[in-house]
Amino acid sequence: MPTVGVKRDLLFKALGRSYTDEEFDELCFEFGLELDEITSEKEIISKEQGDSKASGASDVILYKIDVPANRYDLLCLEGVVRGLQVFKNKVEAPRYRRVSPVSGDPQRLIITKETAAVRPHAVAAVLRDITFTQERYDSFIELQEKLHQNICRKRTLVAIGTHDLDTISGPFTYTAKPPGDISFKPLNQTKEYTATQLMSLYKTDSHLRHYLPIIEDKPVYPVIYDSNGVVLSMPPIINGDHSKISLKTKNVFIECTATDVTKAKIVLDMMVTMFSEYCSQPFTVEEAEVMYPDGKTCTYPELAYRKESLSSGFINRKVGINESTEKVAELLTRMCLLSRPTGVGDEIEVEIPPTRSDVIHACDIMEDAAIAYGFNNITRTTPRTYTVANQFPLNKLTELLRQDLAAAGFTEALNFALCSQEDIADKLGKKISEIKAIHISNPKTAEFQVARTTLLPGLLKTIAANRKMPLPLKLFEISDVVLKDEAKDVGARNSRRFCAVYYNKSPGFEVIHGLLDRTMQLLEVKPAPGEGYHIQAADDSTFFPGRCAEIFVHGKSVGCLGVLHPDIINRFELTMPCSALEMDIEPFLGPTAETLLTHDVPMQEAVKHKFPTLEESWQAPHSHPASTKTVFGDMSTQAGLKALNDFLADKSYMEGFMASQADITMFDAIHSPPSPACCHLRRWYNHIKSFQMERARLPSAKTQFVLPATPSAQTNNTSDDDIDLFGSDDEAESEEAARIKEQRLAEYAAKKSKKPALVAKSSILLDVKPWDDETDMAKMEECVRSVSMDGLLWGQSKLVPVGYGIKKLQIGCVVEDDKVGTDMLEEAITAFEEYVQSVDVAAFNKI
């Protein structure tokens, strides 16, 4: 999060009033900012360099304000003041305009084709007849630096150049030349240097040396000339001294060279909109033309306003408020987003100014409405539904496999997700061009160049680092690999893999094969072609010819296993044979392997997409059962609802630990929401109501809770299975008998639900040994019995001779296994160090 330092007195003067530190802190919070620190230049230098260095520094109070990283319009004093004044309804948001020169043609920047090798894009504009003071000048320079560090990504994407237009003449040429052909006097230097000399000169510069790697290895360097051959700048390193701006500068030519033209437009808009208020015609910017090598001409700055539409209902739902359309429009206008109701339902038309490039989605507008409303003013509410958290299925399967693979004698390893190109290609006998690997654009080291596409290299490098350990070495890893996938939004996807290696004097293929069989057994996949799993001979450059097999599950390839090729072993600096297994475990999860967590909310949500509310969606016709009769009674009566409420007192679902069709059928049997008196039933009802979208995909029920509407007619061939245990023997069951049957079933279900579960207990006999024959045994027993835990009951005790006049305390106890363990008892008793030397378990019996 960027931090903007502003002088307090200058800030208050611009705001038109003074604030206490607490008042301004509160104002910042209301506007979505944070007053991070109140300091001074002298205090900062004193902290960083000592009191001796701070003796002549300024005592002017500085406010350090934390600004959201996407709010480029708040990175300077002018932007902060303008935003706060509009927020407090003191002024209206300014209207920025692009104007043509009063006389003559616009300034022109010509881009040559040579720039395509380094920085192919450029934009430009002119601030005409601007008035600088020292404070304005400092803010102008500081904004450039803030943008360079933020959206410009340390000048790699965009580099800003500002020049005194009265010292140069257009048209300007943006080209690229060999470093030896570029010569000029750089900013704040006294003589000319070639570009090659400048690179050496700035190697030790604490500020500029960070930008040298951007172009130093390029065959040509970018440079901008005016019509007289005067160098304006060599982006992204340094400007020329000839055109530097000063307090006397009246006309500023701004150019931005870039590798990303969209970022360049945003940066140019920020520079001119923040300081155009100091021009003779406030908030106007003189246009400039940029001519590309193909002859296309563009006019900048764009200063584009755009309009978006969304509904106030969308904002109210997302924020958790209930305001009118007019009120929501007012809130957005306070955030410099001029808004008005269109009159079509609750639709609002929002105008996005050029200073708000951070608004790219309806949620960004909603966030501004929440800030203007005030986070502290949003009423805290309890969610209407209760949910039970479940472990992500893929992670749960991973954890289960880890335990059983460790039990099989393999040791787990955890390696880096990034590796070198050599690891996944050359060392495995493959070509990097044929591998769907994600490459890091600016790797810091050769060890982290790509995201791994296989787990095998990491395990082999782990073995190489532990060659001196006793053989055999058996390692496994279950982690993600990253693969290119054009179907994904980010162009890549994660895939959970399982890999195991066996390193010994013999290849041990049978060990790896056995591990595969054990893994399939755990995954409940039978060894059979087609419906189960099988292996089939395959060729792979990583494995020894004739010693490699592909693994098929349900007819689909999921991995391979085999003996590694000797060349592969040598490349990883190993000396003995090695067998390996690698397979994908996601196919064993079925359709739940990847779950969509959310859906996009389009900008035109109010017009094009009418999302039904939860209540509306449940009004859709469902196949309600004809009967409301259940094993708990009739759900149309209070008695039946009460019986179900008692049943759900300690349960989240009708059966098991997740929602199923049993919950859906029972839900459909209840034709109206339960009253608040049935709190457990109402909690369950609201929770199951939230499963509307996926009710058809819930697992099937194991128990029938809802009874048929009418009992099926009995045939003359009555079998033993047709005997009614709860009613009469008559062929036609009377209403009274049916009522008695339902009542008994409800009582049985309620009684069964309240039946206490069996508690596992154990009888333990402990030997408590003293230090010597002088230990007070009575006191020691008193200390032991003082140990109190839930689920612990002390029994009888006696003193047993050990030898040489020493006796030990033998004491019994009964514990609940789930609450008390022998380790807990030993730790608690040995805490009495004055009396107890050690504690041993003499006997342990389940009861």
Side-chain angles (χ1 to χ4, degrees):
M1 181 177 286
T3 301
V4 179
V6 295
K7 296 180 179 179
R8 182 190 63 182
D9 297 339
L10 194 63
L11 174 64
F12 289 169
K13 181 181 178 181
L15 291 174
R17 61 158 291 186
S18 296
Y19 295 85
T20 64
D21 293 340
E22 291 76 13
E23 289 174 340
F24 188 74
D25 187 15
E26 182 64 25
L27 176 61
C28 286
F29 177 80
E30 291 176 1
F31 189 55
L33 307 179
E34 182 180 353
L35 181 58
D36 180 58
E37 185 180 6
I38 302 173
T39 183
S40 66
E41 182 183 345
K42 183 175 183 179
E43 186 176 346
I44 293 174
I45 297 176
S46 178
K47 287 181 179 179
E48 295 178 352
Q49 304 178 23
D51 295 337
S52 59
K53 298 287 186 181
S55 57
S58 172
D59 288 324
V60 176
I61 300 299
L62 295 177
Y63 279 167
K64 296 287 188 177
I65 304 174
D66 282 345
V67 177
N70 61 341
R71 290 298 301 270
Y72 315 122
D73 58 318
L74 301 178
L75 292 177
C76 61
L77 172 67
E78 288 73 15
V80 172
V81 170
R82 199 175 303 161
L84 288 175
Q85 286 181 321
V86 174
F87 179 72
K88 299 298 288 184
N89 291 321
K90 291 186 177 181
V91 297
E92 293 183 356
R95 190 82 183 180
Y96 305 101
R97 294 184 300 116
R98 186 180 72 191
V99 297
S100 301
V102 177
S103 60
D105 296 328
Q107 296 294 336
R108 174 172 290 187
L109 178 62
I110 302 171
I111 304 176
T112 67
K113 61 182 180 180
E114 289 78 11
T115 59
V118 277
R119 303 174 75 84
H121 305 290
V123 296
V126 176
L127 289 176
R128 181 70 66 177
D129 200 11
I130 190 171
T131 301
F132 279 123
T133 62
Q134 186 62 53
E135 290 78 11
R136 295 174 183 176
Y137 178 85
D138 293 341
S139 181
F140 187 70
I141 300 300
E142 185 179 2
L143 177 60
Q144 292 182 56
E145 189 58 31
K146 293 292 184 184
L147 292 172
H148 275 154
Q149 298 300 316
N150 192 354
I151 184 175
C152 299
R153 296 296 186 272
K154 297 183 179 179
R155 304 190 188 183
T156 57
L157 299 182
V158 185
I160 310 168
T162 54
H163 313 278
D164 189 335
L165 186 58
D166 296 329
T167 64
I168 51 181
S169 60
F172 307 100
T173 303
Y174 173 42
T175 185
K177 292 185 176 183
D181 297 345
I182 302 173
S183 178
F184 68 103
K185 184 168 70 172
L187 193 65
N188 300 326
Q189 296 293 330
T190 57
K191 65 176 184 177
E192 288 191 356
Y193 294 87
T194 65
T196 305
Q197 292 172 334
L198 283 177
M199 290 306 216
S200 300
L201 176 66
Y202 292 129
K203 280 289 186 182
T204 57
D205 188 281
S206 60
H207 178 61
L208 296 178
R209 63 186 175 89
H210 302 290
Y211 310 124
L212 302 183
I214 300 175
I215 62 170
E216 66 178 348
D217 60 343
K218 304 291 183 182
V220 291
Y221 290 177
V223 62
I224 300 178
Y225 294 95
D226 75 348
S227 59
N228 297 322
V230 175
V231 174
L232 276 65
S233 66
M234 187 180 74
I237 308 302
I238 192 72
N239 289 347
D241 190 70
H242 180 84
S243 60
K244 69 178 179 181
I245 63 172
S246 65
L247 295 179
K248 297 180 180 180
T249 299
K250 299 300 294 181
N251 303 298
V252 180
F253 177 70
I254 304 175
E255 45 83 9
C256 300
T257 59
T259 56
D260 186 326
V261 69
T262 302
K263 296 289 192 298
K265 294 175 183 178
I266 294 173
V267 169
L268 183 64
D269 283 349
M270 290 303 148
M271 289 297 301
V272 298
T273 53
M274 291 300 102
F275 291 91
S276 58
E277 68 173 297
Y278 301 137
C279 295
S280 58
Q281 297 182 34
F283 307 114
T284 62
V285 185
E286 185 178 304
E287 64 186 22
E289 293 181 350
V290 175
M291 180 178 290
Y292 285 88
D294 59 0
K296 182 180 70 173
T297 301
C298 297
T299 303
Y300 298 106
E302 290 186 347
L303 297 181
Y305 286 82
R306 75 177 197 274
K307 293 184 178 180
E308 303 290 351
S309 298
L310 74 166
S311 68
S312 61
F314 165 74
I315 294 177
N316 282 326
R317 288 196 306 273
K318 297 299 181 182
V319 177
I321 59 178
N322 186 21
E323 297 293 332
S324 65
T325 303
E326 292 74 15
K327 178 62 176 178
V328 172
E330 292 177 7
L331 294 175
L332 293 174
T333 301
R334 290 177 58 196
M335 300 300 293
C336 296
L337 301 176
L338 184 61
S339 306
R340 66 175 186 86
T342 62
V344 181
D346 61 350
E347 184 183 49
I348 299 175
E349 185 180 75
V350 183
E351 185 178 60
I352 315 298
T355 55
R356 295 302 307 274
S357 59
D358 60 294
V359 179
I360 57 178
H361 192 276
C363 289
D364 298 315
I365 300 176
M366 175 269 294
E367 180 188 19
D368 274 13
I371 293 173
Y373 184 83
F375 291 120
N376 286 341
N377 298 326
I378 300 174
T379 305
R380 174 183 289 184
T381 57
T382 302
R384 294 182 299 171
T385 60
Y386 294 82
T387 59
V388 178
N390 285 324
Q391 190 176 11
F392 192 56
L394 182 59
N395 292 338
K396 184 175 182 178
L397 176 60
T398 301
E399 293 298 329
L400 293 173
L401 281 176
R402 280 185 176 134
Q403 295 179 17
D404 285 292
L405 292 172
F410 282 73
T411 302
E412 184 177 12
L414 188 62
N415 293 293
F416 291 116
L418 298 180
C419 61
S420 67
Q421 296 182 17
E422 186 182 19
D423 287 343
I424 62 171
D426 298 341
K427 287 186 176 181
L428 295 181
K430 302 181 185 296
K431 296 180 180 179
I432 189 65
S433 59
E434 299 175 356
I435 298 176
K436 296 181 178 180
I438 304 300
H439 294 253
I440 308 301
S441 61
N442 55 340
K444 298 297 183 183
T445 67
E447 289 296 314
F448 303 121
Q449 296 174 317
V450 295
R452 63 183 177 185
T453 57
T454 172
L455 302 178
L456 183 58
L459 291 180
L460 294 178
K461 292 172 73 174
T462 303
I463 291 178
N466 294 272
R467 289 191 299 265
K468 296 182 179 179
M469 297 294 291
L471 296 177
L473 292 180
K474 302 195 293 184
L475 299 180
F476 80 93
E477 182 176 2
I478 305 181
S479 295
D480 284 355
V481 298
V482 184
L483 305 173
K484 280 186 178 179
D485 190 345
E486 299 300 332
K488 300 297 180 182
D489 293 340
V490 297
R493 63 180 173 87
N494 281 25
S495 178
R496 187 66 54 87
R497 296 277 184 88
F498 154 53
C499 185
V501 294
Y502 178 85
Y503 180 73
N504 201 0
K505 295 179 180 179
S506 60
F509 177 77
E510 67 281 0
V511 177
I512 287 296
H513 195 180
L515 183 65
L516 171 64
D517 292 339
R518 173 56 179 161
T519 304
M520 291 300 178
Q521 184 183 27
L522 294 170
L523 295 171
E524 298 183 354
V525 181
K526 297 181 179 179
E531 295 299 321
Y533 78 95
H534 70 283
I535 62 174
Q536 182 175 313
D539 291 327
D540 192 315
S541 58
T542 303
F543 296 91
F544 198 85
R547 301 289 182 88
C548 174
E550 197 169 2
I551 306 169
F552 289 88
V553 176
H554 304 312
K556 182 180 178 181
S557 175
V558 297
C560 62
L561 77 161
V563 179
L564 295 184
H565 197 285
D567 293 342
I568 306 301
I569 295 175
N570 291 333
R571 289 168 190 163
F572 283 95
E573 300 179 1
L574 301 176
T575 58
M576 295 185 183
C578 183
S579 295
L581 155 69
E582 184 165 4
M583 58 183 286
D584 190 354
I585 67 172
E586 291 188 10
F588 299 96
L589 292 172
T592 61
E594 182 174 331
T595 306
L596 295 178
L597 300 181
T598 183
H599 63 273
D600 293 331
V601 182
M603 185 67 78
Q604 302 290 344
E605 179 265 343
V607 179
K608 297 183 180 179
H609 300 276
K610 180 73 168 64
F611 293 108
T613 62
L614 190 61
E615 290 78 6
E616 292 172 344
S617 63
W618 273 92
Q619 291 174 1
H622 292 307
S623 56
H624 283 284
S627 173
T628 60
K629 297 178 180 180
T630 69
V631 296
F632 303 98
D634 194 335
M635 289 298 104
S636 62
T637 64
Q638 288 298 321
L641 293 175
K642 185 178 184 305
L644 180 57
N645 181 72
D646 294 340
F647 174 76
L648 293 169
D650 58 349
K651 295 178 177 61
S652 297
Y653 303 101
M654 295 302 300
E655 56 185 22
F657 297 98
M658 62 184 298
S660 65
Q661 293 299 329
D663 297 279
I664 297 300
T665 55
M666 182 61 73
F667 178 91
D668 290 342
I670 305 173
H671 287 176
S672 61
S675 65
C678 298
C679 57
H680 303 299
L681 176 59
R682 189 177 180 86
R683 177 258 305 165
W684 169 87
Y685 184 90
N686 289 333
H687 179 43
I688 301 304
K689 189 176 180 180
S690 67
F691 284 90
Q692 160 64 11
M693 304 303 294
E694 60 265 30
R695 57 183 284 152
R697 298 194 297 270
L698 294 178
S700 58
K702 298 178 181 178
T703 308
Q704 183 179 358
F705 292 96
V706 180
L707 303 175
T710 57
S712 57
Q714 292 181 348
T715 62
N716 294 331
N717 300 326
T718 304
S719 65
D720 293 340
D721 295 337
D722 298 327
I723 298 175
D724 186 354
L725 299 178
F726 296 92
S728 67
D729 294 332
D730 298 339
E731 181 177 352
E733 184 179 46
S734 65
E735 293 184 2
E736 179 65 18
R739 186 189 65 78
I740 295 173
K741 175 182 176 180
E742 293 170 4
Q743 181 180 353
R744 290 177 178 176
L745 284 171
E747 291 174 354
Y748 173 75
K751 181 179 180 181
K752 185 177 180 181
S753 66
K754 294 181 179 181
K755 185 178 180 179
L758 292 176
V759 179
K761 295 183 179 180
S762 299
S763 174
I764 303 175
L765 185 64
L766 299 175
D767 283 343
V768 185
K769 299 176 183 178
W771 285 104
D772 50 37
D773 59 346
E774 296 181 358
T775 301
D776 188 342
M777 300 302 293
K779 185 64 177 177
M780 185 174 75
E781 181 178 355
E782 181 183 345
C783 292
V784 172
R785 291 186 179 275
S786 68
V787 175
S788 176
M789 299 179 185
D790 185 22
L792 169 64
L793 179 64
W794 291 109
Q796 295 180 349
S797 64
K798 63 180 180 179
L799 298 178
V800 179
V802 178
Y804 304 102
I806 301 176
K807 295 182 180 181
K808 65 180 179 181
L809 173 66
Q810 199 168 70
I811 184 170
C813 63
V814 176
V815 300
E816 294 183 22
D817 294 348
D818 290 341
K819 297 179 180 180
V820 182
T822 56
D823 292 342
M824 298 169 60
L825 286 174
E826 292 175 15
E827 183 178 353
I829 296 174
T830 52
F832 301 103
E833 299 178 351
E834 184 178 352
Y835 303 99
V836 179
Q837 179 187 20
S838 63
V839 179
D840 295 325
V841 177
F844 186 96
N845 298 310
K846 293 283 188 179
I847 60 174

